Amino acid sequence: MKIGLSSSELKKRTSKDYLSTKIMLKKDAPEYTNLADGDKAALKHLVKAAVILEEVYLKMDDARNIPFRDYLKAEIKKSNADAKLAMKLFKAQKGINAVDMNADKFSLLRGAKELPGKGLYPADLTKEEFHAILKTMLAEGKKEEVAKILNQRSVIVRDGKALKALDYTEAFKKEFRLAARHILQAAETSTNKDFNEFLQLQAKALTVCDPMADAYADKKWASLQDTPLEFTITRENYEDEMTETVYENEELSALLKKNGIEAVSKDMLGFRVGIVNKEGTDKLLEIKKYLPELAKNMPYADKYKQNITVAGAAQDKGDAGGSGSDDIKQNMVDVDIVTVKGDVGAYRAGITLAENLPNYDKLSIKIGGGRRNVYHRQIRAVSDRKWLQKLLDATLDKNLHQFFENEANHWFTIGHENGHSLGPNSGTEVLGKYKSIIEENKADMISMAMIDKLVELGMYTELQKKQIITIFAVDCVLKAKPNLSQAHRVRTVMQLYHFLKTGAFTIKNGVITINYEKVVPAAAEMLKKIIEVQISGSFEKGEQYVLENFIWSDEIEKLAAKMRKVNKTLNGTVKEELANWLAR
């Protein structure tokens, strides 16, 4: 093994200008010191569980991750300065592979490339061979085996000329069982009964090969609202680029449909441990009573089932938002972060501000469970105001700087995360590699298209509306054209292109100006097209929609070039003093 970056490149990428740092809770943070003793003891076990489970993520991401880390450790003992810098990046991006903010893919291991099936498929398996094997297996009557291969919780290995699926609980048995012990120990001391019940269900789900165990744990987790602590095992499937390719093969796609098999991309596991912030949570909950009203205002709302019950809005017409909040299966918490591990903490081109889970492919949703938003307080914090001003000068008309309020990014994110609970809650898997792009696009456009309704209902003022629109415009400017595997960034380009095309945004003198009156109608127009695609059941329509809007125009490139001058950041890392102390 050899390090894939030069000494100069390693020094650059680990320097302050190029590697941004987000600071999680410190050892003396009042959020921690004010906890009850039982919760402090529980927190320690939950951090240890997350540390153990991160080993699973490293294996899922790339089979070479752990051997390469061992190689770096040995080289560091030999006083290899490059190995020390490479280890800093490895820990930040959680593995050998990453894509930076300039959309450049790179690997810390010389000669290595990111695999479409990550570490969840045989490294030498091509898309063409994968499709051929599945067709043969179906022809041989191996329907159940194919269904297991194409589900979201299996590691695929070769089995002669065929393929075989290992359930996650089998493939990662050692780590799952050890983590489960810590989770159960946390349940013995935590002061909250509901949280303890969830922990017990989650521990069981790690030790039994039963999708229903995951479903019951997810369903209980989504119901949690008033708990002191937060512990999440996230399961999102944005990274697997192999499974979803079956929808690109018309013959195979037809065979799967005939056999009643739905291919779902494989889950990458992430882990979050935190302390629930009551004040921030109370503020978040203000939107909950309005969700049924927003559901009613979704395009084609009568043509699909969504997670938020529209009927609840009509139960009490005297309430502007409807009094059906008891029917809304959507909880939300603001969390002070202790640690983010695995998929949640993989700081590559960026790191998430919040998550709305479980996703619609999960069994807990199908058995009547709800969803839950978790917002990351430390990750959304801005530490460098001077840098922020340089960014505004480079991208936004100076006359509009007065409407830039960083907290509006959080308000926009609230709309985005709740937007995931609106719209079709099933049937989008057929969109294949475009599914995640379109879903993220949908959530953003809901956040923008519903602003006038939320102003009318009293959640935001007209000034706050302008502030949300302004920060959205600034966030639309990327440093470089992303690749199609970067769902969040692709949708950002699509949105900037659409808002420029509709005249909601214009570029004058190299910066964005905003026609505030055109923004909400432009968002509503795009949202309508998105829902049309999601309910179409057509891979081709999804592909056409994305490619028609994923346009990196000359004027967008000029904005990006300016961004690259003022923002050198390529990747990031998190500093977790409290977590490191607890994990000793």
Side-chain angles (χ1 to χ4, degrees):
M1 285 187 168
K2 292 185 178 180
I3 297 171
L5 299 179
S6 66
S7 297
S8 60
E9 188 69 10
L10 285 167
K11 288 177 183 176
K12 181 182 82 171
R13 287 183 177 271
T14 54
S15 67
K16 184 178 178 181
D17 286 343
Y18 291 86
L19 187 71
S20 65
T21 301
K22 292 290 184 182
I23 299 174
M24 306 299 107
L25 285 182
K26 295 183 179 181
K27 186 169 62 173
D28 60 352
E31 293 85 359
Y32 171 71
T33 58
N34 291 336
L35 283 176
D37 289 343
D39 289 326
K40 287 180 180 176
L43 194 66
K44 186 169 187 173
H45 284 295
L46 295 177
V47 168
K48 289 184 175 181
V51 171
I52 293 164
L53 289 169
E54 184 164 77
E55 297 298 293
V56 172
Y57 171 78
L58 291 174
K59 292 179 180 180
M60 299 172 86
D61 182 60
D62 196 303
R64 299 164 291 188
N65 277 337
I66 292 176
F68 182 73
R69 185 184 62 187
D70 292 340
Y71 160 74
L72 290 181
K73 287 179 180 178
E75 289 297 304
I76 290 170
K77 287 183 179 179
K78 299 175 187 176
S79 300
N80 184 331
D82 284 356
K84 188 174 181 180
L85 295 176
M87 182 67 87
K88 185 174 182 178
L89 274 181
F90 181 94
K91 289 181 176 179
Q93 63 197 37
K94 311 295 185 190
I96 61 174
N97 301 313
V99 56
D100 62 28
M101 288 186 71
N102 286 347
D104 293 324
K105 287 188 173 184
F106 67 95
S107 180
L108 293 171
L109 172 61
R110 185 179 297 180
K113 289 185 177 180
E114 186 177 22
L115 301 170
K118 302 302 181 280
L120 298 171
Y121 281 91
D124 61 348
L125 182 69
T126 66
K127 180 175 73 171
E128 291 74 21
E129 184 189 10
F130 178 46
H131 294 176
I133 290 174
L134 293 181
K135 289 177 188 177
T136 299
M137 291 179 71
L138 287 172
E140 293 172 348
K142 298 178 180 179
K143 173 182 172 180
E144 290 186 8
E145 288 89 341
V146 171
K148 289 178 181 177
I149 289 168
L150 295 177
N151 81 8
Q152 64 264 62
R153 49 178 290 158
S154 58
V155 177
I156 310 307
V157 297
R158 291 189 180 275
D159 184 21
K161 293 184 179 181
L163 296 171
K164 180 181 177 181
L166 302 176
D167 188 83
Y168 282 0
T169 56
E170 181 182 357
F172 309 118
K173 184 176 181 178
K174 178 182 175 182
E175 294 91 347
F176 274 19
R177 288 186 177 274
L178 186 55
R181 279 185 225 145
H182 280 289
I183 293 169
L184 287 175
Q185 286 176 288
E188 292 175 1
T189 65
S190 166
T191 62
N192 185 276
K193 182 180 177 182
D194 277 345
F195 188 64
N196 292 341
E197 183 181 334
F198 154 66
L199 292 179
Q200 290 162 356
L201 289 168
Q202 183 61 82
K204 181 180 179 181
L206 291 173
T207 56
V208 297
C209 181
D210 180 5
M212 284 304 298
D214 270 333
Y216 292 137
D218 283 352
K219 188 175 181 180
K220 183 62 182 180
W221 176 84
S223 75
L224 299 178
Q225 186 60 69
D226 299 313
T227 62
L229 302 179
E230 172 64 21
F231 178 72
T232 317
I233 298 181
T234 67
R235 292 180 288 121
E236 295 199 89
N237 49 22
Y238 287 3
E239 303 302 319
D240 168 20
E241 297 177 43
M242 180 66 85
T243 305
E244 61 196 8
T245 64
V246 298
Y247 292 112
E248 300 170 32
N249 186 311
E250 291 184 13
E251 182 185 354
L252 178 55
S253 183
L255 283 172
L256 294 174
K257 186 175 181 179
K258 180 180 178 181
N259 284 276
I261 299 171
E262 182 180 52
V264 183
S265 295
K266 303 200 178 301
D267 292 331
M268 301 295 285
L269 301 186
F271 317 98
R272 170 179 50 234
V273 183
I275 300 169
V276 175
N277 185 290
K278 190 175 187 312
E279 183 180 352
T281 297
D282 288 344
K283 184 66 177 174
L284 287 174
L285 287 170
E286 290 180 10
I287 197 173
K288 188 170 181 177
K289 63 182 177 180
Y290 303 130
L291 291 179
E293 189 67 23
L294 300 186
K296 284 200 305 181
N297 283 270
M298 284 294 294
Y300 307 109
D302 60 334
K303 295 185 181 297
Y304 51 84
K305 184 178 180 181
Q306 53 190 327
N307 198 54
I308 302 301
T309 53
V310 178
Q315 289 181 4
D316 184 352
K317 294 181 181 179
D319 182 354
S323 64
S325 58
D326 289 343
D327 298 327
I328 302 172
K329 297 175 181 179
Q330 178 72 69
N331 287 314
M332 50 200 83
V333 289
D334 208 18
V335 172
D336 285 296
I337 303 297
V338 177
T339 187
V340 281
K341 299 293 186 186
D343 194 39
V344 183
Y347 205 147
R348 296 176 178 181
I351 191 165
T352 187
L353 294 171
E355 289 175 298
N356 184 12
L357 300 171
N359 290 332
Y360 286 131
D361 61 277
K362 299 299 179 285
L363 187 56
S364 67
I365 298 292
K366 297 174 183 178
I367 64 170
R371 291 165 68 98
R372 185 165 175 262
N373 294 341
V374 179
Y375 295 83
H376 305 159
R377 291 174 64 82
Q378 281 63 34
I379 293 172
R380 70 176 184 254
V382 174
S383 56
D384 191 341
R385 296 284 174 179
K386 289 183 179 179
W387 171 84
L388 180 59
Q389 186 58 53
K390 288 181 181 179
L391 183 147
L392 291 178
D393 291 340
T395 58
L396 185 67
D397 185 334
K398 285 191 176 182
N399 293 320
L400 304 182
H401 286 199
Q402 61 181 309
F403 301 122
F404 186 90
E405 166 56 55
N406 190 65
E407 185 64 14
N409 200 8
H410 179 45
W411 304 334
F412 174 80
T413 303
I414 293 171
H416 172 97
E417 294 302 334
N418 283 289
H420 282 305
S421 293
L422 302 173
N425 67 3
S426 63
T428 63
E429 294 301 328
V430 72
L431 298 175
K433 64 184 179 182
Y434 302 108
K435 179 198 72 172
S436 298
I437 296 170
I438 294 169
E439 175 61 25
E440 293 301 326
N441 183 200
K442 181 202 79 175
D444 268 8
M445 290 304 95
I446 288 173
S447 189
M448 297 303 295
M450 298 295 180
I451 293 178
D452 282 345
K453 175 57 66 173
L454 289 172
V455 170
E456 176 190 326
L457 294 172
M459 180 160 181
Y460 296 125
T461 65
E462 286 290 344
L463 174 59
Q464 287 173 315
K465 169 187 169 179
K466 278 193 170 183
Q467 291 169 332
I468 293 170
I469 290 172
T470 303
I471 205 163
F472 169 77
V474 172
D475 286 346
C476 276
V477 183
L478 301 181
K479 293 173 63 181
K481 182 181 180 180
N483 57 70
L484 279 172
S485 65
Q486 295 178 281
H488 293 77
R489 291 178 174 265
V490 170
R491 66 89 151 86
T492 299
V493 175
M494 293 168 61
Q495 289 162 187
L496 180 54
Y497 175 75
H498 173 75
F499 279 74
L500 287 170
K501 185 174 66 174
T502 57
F505 298 165
T506 55
I507 298 176
K508 294 180 180 179
N509 301 318
V511 292
I512 290 177
T513 63
I514 303 170
N515 185 325
Y516 290 96
E517 297 304 313
K518 288 187 176 183
V519 169
V520 173
E525 176 187 331
M526 194 172 209
L527 178 60
K528 186 178 180 181
K529 291 178 181 177
I530 292 165
I531 301 302
E532 287 174 356
V533 169
Q534 288 190 320
I535 63 179
S536 72
S538 169
F539 173 84
E540 291 75 19
K541 287 185 178 179
E543 181 173 57
Q544 180 182 4
Y545 168 73
V546 171
L547 298 183
E548 283 179 351
N549 288 279
F550 182 43
I551 306 295
W552 190 263
S553 65
D554 289 342
E555 59 182 354
I556 291 176
E557 169 56 30
K558 288 177 182 177
L559 274 176
K562 292 181 69 178
M563 277 286 284
R564 291 193 290 271
K565 287 184 178 180
V566 300
N567 181 5
K568 294 181 179 180
T569 302
L570 293 176
N571 293 97
T573 187
V574 295
K575 187 174 181 180
E576 302 179 332
E577 180 184 298
L578 175 57
N580 294 337
W581 181 67
L582 292 173
R584 293 171 304 165

